[in-house]
Amino acid sequence: MITLTKEDGPADLDGVTHLSIGVSWDPTAGASGGVIGKLRRKSGTDLDLIAIAMHDGDPVRLAGLDSLDPIGNGSLLHSGDNQTGHGDGDDETVTVEFAKIPPHITSIVFVAAAYKKGSSFQKARNISFKVYDATGGSSQQVADIWPSMLTTDNGCAVAKAVRVGTTWKLEVINTTGKIKQGDELALMRFAVSK
């Protein structure tokens, strides 16, 4: 397993038919201790993993939030919304089956966001993104992507899968920015800029 960085450049996905990206985080109380801190840890924070399918530079489908199978053929599937970060393993996952992705989809941008009002990256800790080769039904982790803990932003463009002829490449973006909470158009504009 490797830790992927932006500096590594695009990685070939030759032989990878299914790719999964998962996000996990732990709830934190921030600086609050006592009863208030305990309540904040219990309620957790809501981060969202969203995959945005692009046709050239135009977003055309969004997996996540309220849409688990936006293309309708199982080629881009979201695991569902975890609103607290509680539990082991990945809290949210997006799986791509490349052979079923329609030919007009030229890239897929994976974004993690504190999208809902009241959520924030600062209320979560140990945020990590895992990349899996899910070919053949396996779940072999092939890479980690760890975002900086110093950001006050609420969005992170994690990675982008790009179609190159008949194959795909995965490029790490790992760039943070501000997204207006609850604004789907702002989320898509953020993805387009990456």
Side-chain angles (χ1 to χ4, degrees):
M1 185 175 54
I2 59 171
T3 299
L4 289 176
T5 66
K6 288 192 281 190
E7 294 73 32
D8 295 329
D12 284 323
L13 296 176
D14 294 336
V16 177
T17 62
H18 293 66
L19 178 81
S20 289
I21 292 188
V23 62
S24 63
W25 70 95
D26 297 325
T28 182
S32 301
V35 174
I36 297 294
K38 193 177 237 185
L39 289 172
R40 285 189 180 148
R41 275 191 299 276
K42 186 174 181 182
S43 64
T45 192
D46 187 4
L47 300 186
D48 294 293
L49 180 63
I50 300 121
I52 300 166
M54 311 283 285
H55 172 70
D56 296 327
D58 192 26
V60 293
R61 291 289 184 273
L62 184 139
L65 303 176
D66 296 327
S67 182
L68 302 183
D69 184 7
I71 296 175
N73 66 357
S75 62
L76 186 62
L77 290 176
H78 193 283
S79 63
D81 188 16
N82 179 321
Q83 297 185 3
T84 65
H86 289 291
D88 294 329
D90 295 320
D91 295 307
E92 296 189 16
T93 306
V94 172
T95 301
V96 180
E97 185 176 350
F98 291 115
K100 289 173 136 185
I101 295 287
H104 66 279
I105 302 295
T106 52
S107 65
I108 301 165
V109 180
F110 300 91
V111 175
Y115 181 71
K116 295 183 182 88
K117 291 187 191 302
S119 59
S120 78
F121 281 8
Q122 288 74 45
K123 292 181 185 174
R125 67 174 175 219
N126 301 327
I127 301 170
S128 70
F129 306 104
K130 295 175 182 64
V131 181
Y132 302 92
D133 178 352
T135 302
S138 73
S139 57
Q140 177 186 356
Q141 185 180 348
V142 294
D144 276 322
I145 303 169
W146 291 8
S148 171
M149 294 174 58
L150 296 176
T151 184
T152 58
D153 293 333
N154 69 331
C156 180
V158 180
K160 180 194 266 189
V162 180
R163 190 189 295 269
V164 180
T166 59
T167 64
W168 289 79
K169 292 182 182 285
L170 183 70
E171 177 182 342
V172 172
I173 302 171
N174 196 10
T175 301
T176 63
K178 297 232 183 278
I179 300 170
K180 184 177 178 185
Q181 289 183 318
D183 186 340
E184 203 167 285
L185 291 177
L187 177 68
M188 289 188 280
R189 280 193 294 271
F190 178 73
V192 166
S193 72
K194 306 303 173 219

